[in-house]
Amino acid sequence: GKNLSFVPTSLKARAGEPIAIRFRNPDAVPHNWALIRPETLPQVGDLANKLVADPNAFARQYVPDSPDVIAYTDVTEPGKESLISFMAPSQKGRYPFLCTFPGHWMVMNGILIVE
């Protein structure tokens, strides 16, 4: 959605099933979409905020170098879209997703519920 939000804010999948997500950016600033391991949102978000000082951040699509990142899109410019395909995690749980562009994650996040 607009103004640092995801629509929808929650998704559901079965463990191990293929997932395809079309990420459209209707906002005025760039965003991405990253799926991370359960209970790691504050840690990955902090790493994302620190990317503001990293001269290589754009080349890395503003995705923190962390084993907690499962899947992500490239930075998607305003008015553009990205497509990502991956397998849902094999473990059931609540997997956060977020925009890792510095400063966005605190309000721009949601949850993938793996059943």
Side-chain angles (χ1 to χ4, degrees), residues 27-74:
D27 211 347
V29 296
H31 297 296
N32 69 1
W33 183 95
L35 181 69
I36 61 176
R37 296 189 196 288
E39 301 181 21
T40 62
L41 183 60
Q43 297 90 336
V44 174
D46 184 56
L47 291 172
N49 284 346
K50 291 177 181 173
L51 289 171
V52 74
D54 183 345
N56 296 316
F58 182 78
R60 293 194 0 240
Q61 301 299 311
Y62 287 94
V63 175
D65 184 16
S66 169
D68 293 323
V69 177
I70 297 170
Y72 62 90
T73 67
D74 288 346

Side-chain angles (χ1 to χ4, degrees), residues 1 3-6 23 25 27 30-32 41 97-100 103-110:
N3 301 319
L4 300 179
S5 68
F6 283 119
F23 173 62
N25 181 2
D27 211 347
H31 297 296
N32 69 1
L41 183 60
F97 57 83
L98 69 154
C99 174
T100 60
H104 293 190
W105 74 273
M106 291 173 276
V107 291
M108 196 170 181
N109 61 75

Side-chain angles (χ1 to χ4, degrees), residues 17-30:
E17 82 174 327
I19 296 175
I21 295 174
R22 182 175 311 276
F23 173 62
R24 292 188 181 123
N25 181 2
D27 211 347
V29 296

